[in-house]
């Protein structure tokens, strides 16, 4: 997986989650980033948000992924 995707995912996180996920092993960061990318591709609601504000869509997808994978 491209380190760019992990970096983009980390950038989309709020500061508290960025610190937590940034402290995880590289493989775990890649797992979160892959789930984030899938969330962005598959969620139709995010498509609408992405048209209005791509950064907001990325942040919302990141929030959902972290909540889903850390609960």
């Amino acid at each position: 997986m491209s380190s760019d995707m992990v970096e983009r995912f980390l950038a989309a996180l709020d500061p508290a989650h960025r610190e937590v996920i940034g402290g995880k092993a590289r493989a775990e960061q890649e797992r979160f980033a892959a789930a984030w990318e899938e969330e962005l591709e598959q969620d139709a609601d995010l498509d609408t948000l992405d048209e209005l504000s791509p950064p907001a869509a990325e942040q919302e997808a990141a929030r959902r992924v972290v909540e889903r994978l850390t609960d």
Side-chain angles (χ1 to χ4, degrees), residues 6-67:
V6 171
E7 290 172 19
R8 284 183 49 229
F9 170 67
L10 291 173
L13 291 170
D14 64 76
H17 286 122
R18 186 177 308 122
E19 185 175 325
V20 170
I21 303 301
K24 294 187 178 289
R26 180 66 184 185
E28 189 70 3
Q29 291 175 355
E30 290 176 354
R31 184 175 76 90
F32 275 83
W36 173 70
E37 187 71 22
E38 186 175 320
E39 182 80 17
L40 284 170
E41 290 175 5
Q42 294 184 358
D43 192 304
D45 291 337
L46 290 174
D47 287 343
T48 302
L49 182 57
D50 187 51
E51 289 178 16
L52 299 172
S53 174
E58 289 182 351
Q59 291 168 353
E60 176 60 17
R63 183 192 64 77
R64 291 177 187 182
V65 165
V66 169
E67 285 183 3

